[in-house]
Amino acid sequence: MKLLSVVIPCYNSQDYMSYCIESLLPGGDDVEILIVNDGSVDQTAAIADEYASKYPNMVKAIHQENGGHGEAVNAGIRHASGLYFKVVDSDDWVDIRAYMKVLKALRELSTDGNVVDMVISNFVYEKEGAKYKKIMKYDNVLPQDVIFGWDDIKQFRKGQYILMHSVIYRTQLLIDCGLVLPKHTFYVDNLYVYAPLEHVKRIYYVNVDLYRYFIGREDQSVQENIMIKRIDQQIKVNKLMIEHVDIDSIHNENLRHYMLRHLEIVTVVSSILLIRSGTAENLQKKTELWKYIKEKDARLYRSLKYGFMGNLINLPGSAGRKVSVGAYKISQKLVGFN
């Protein structure tokens, strides 16, 4: 068994995938790199095959019809032979020194028989043109270099969340909890990290800046104008997060509070993008989203709508929407997200 399986979902990634792959190769025989060519029409398939041929004990090329980012992750889970599992997008990369420290921690945990369900590390927003790079760190809320549970965490700040970039899951946990991401849907990374959390008992935090999250390509899915065009997919993931996890059934107070806050920020993003679009159709979709939440879970609806952020994005009239957008822009600058 490999120590770590890393899946790299690739769709027309010929221009940048090699940089991503090269950053992972120093992991050596402990690591399995699964390059999933998701129906690309450029040279992605050839590049994947070239790496698989050059590093047969480390790299596997998986070719499939286009199914979207989620189906590429699903393929990675199906083919993974590693004890742990991580997703690294093809336009991102890992810091080599941090990577070595994380692998050392995983190796020591597995050697001592202290297998954990989730390993967390920091990530960096590599925003093109930005003078200041925002680092998402967790040292203020998580114990370092020890195995811990949800009872041991502190309260996360607004804008501080466990994202796909920061998490490594135990592979069997993903299989056992039945995680299957929807096909042809963007923004499934939120569901990927969120749905398994209620099954996590043992956690380990390595305080290193491992993942470098690149933001800057014009066609990137997280660009605001593209997110607005794909708003139906954002709403779909938002609803799936609500359907997959019954927050009221989570007994641990810290985990329940965290998952409520995480769901809150995803719902805020959905709502603010619908407002930002400025169309009557999308304002109606915002109304329908909140109606859906109310009908699905009235208690959850009250928690989301009448919290600080919920109140802020549901201010009445055009003047209220301007205030909501202004607050969102401030958050963009403070947190560094798109």
Side-chain angles (χ1 to χ4, degrees), residues 102-230:
V102 169
L103 288 174
K104 181 175 182 290
L106 294 178
R107 197 177 301 114
E108 290 174 351
L109 288 168
S110 62
T111 301
D112 295 340
N114 289 317
V115 177
V116 296
D117 298 318
M118 179 172 67
V119 176
I120 297 171
S121 56
N122 312 324
F123 70 91
V124 181
Y125 287 95
E126 293 281 353
K127 193 165 186 177
E128 194 170 44
K131 294 181 180 179
Y132 170 71
K133 292 181 180 178
K134 172 71 177 179
I135 302 174
M136 183 65 77
K137 298 174 70 73
Y138 304 94
D139 54 346
N140 63 314
V141 290
L142 303 179
Q144 297 181 45
D145 303 323
V146 295
I147 297 172
F148 61 92
W150 296 113
D151 285 334
D152 303 307
I153 72 171
K154 298 177 183 177
Q155 189 166 327
F156 284 66
R157 298 188 305 263
K158 293 289 185 185
Q160 184 182 36
Y161 299 94
I162 301 168
L163 299 183
M164 186 191 76
H165 320 307
S166 50
V167 70
I168 296 172
Y169 277 123
R170 181 168 58 85
T171 307
Q172 192 61 43
L173 180 140
L174 296 177
I175 296 169
D176 291 345
C177 76
L179 178 70
V180 178
L181 301 177
K183 292 184 177 181
H184 302 294
T185 307
F186 286 89
Y187 317 118
V188 294
D189 49 325
N190 281 305
L191 185 61
Y192 168 80
V193 72
Y194 187 79
L197 286 178
E198 63 177 324
H199 304 281
V200 169
K201 307 298 181 187
R202 293 159 59 84
I203 312 167
Y204 196 86
Y205 170 51
V206 187
N207 186 12
V208 294
D209 304 338
L210 173 65
Y211 195 105
R212 322 305 278 211
Y213 173 34
F214 179 74
I215 301 175
R217 288 190 294 109
E218 289 185 1
D219 63 340
Q220 202 165 8
S221 62
V222 295
Q223 296 291 354
E224 186 178 276
N225 62 320
I226 293 178
M227 289 190 75
I228 290 172
K229 289 179 182 177
R230 295 171 176 164

Side-chain angles (χ1 to χ4, degrees), residues 30-94:
D30 279 341
V31 177
E32 166 185 68
I33 301 173
L34 304 169
I35 308 172
V36 181
N37 166 38
D38 187 46
S40 301
V41 295
D42 62 358
Q43 293 301 305
T44 293
I47 294 170
D49 286 338
E50 182 181 344
Y51 274 102
S53 176
K54 189 174 182 179
Y55 302 96
N57 296 323
M58 189 177 183
V59 179
K60 294 180 182 178
I62 301 167
H63 303 285
Q64 64 183 30
E65 292 183 2
N66 180 258
H69 187 268
E71 183 58 17
V73 174
N74 293 337
I77 295 172
R78 289 194 297 267
H79 287 84
S81 65
L83 180 61
Y84 294 99
F85 185 87
K86 184 161 186 64
V87 181
V88 178
D89 284 338
S90 59
D91 52 354
D92 300 333
W93 63 95
V94 298

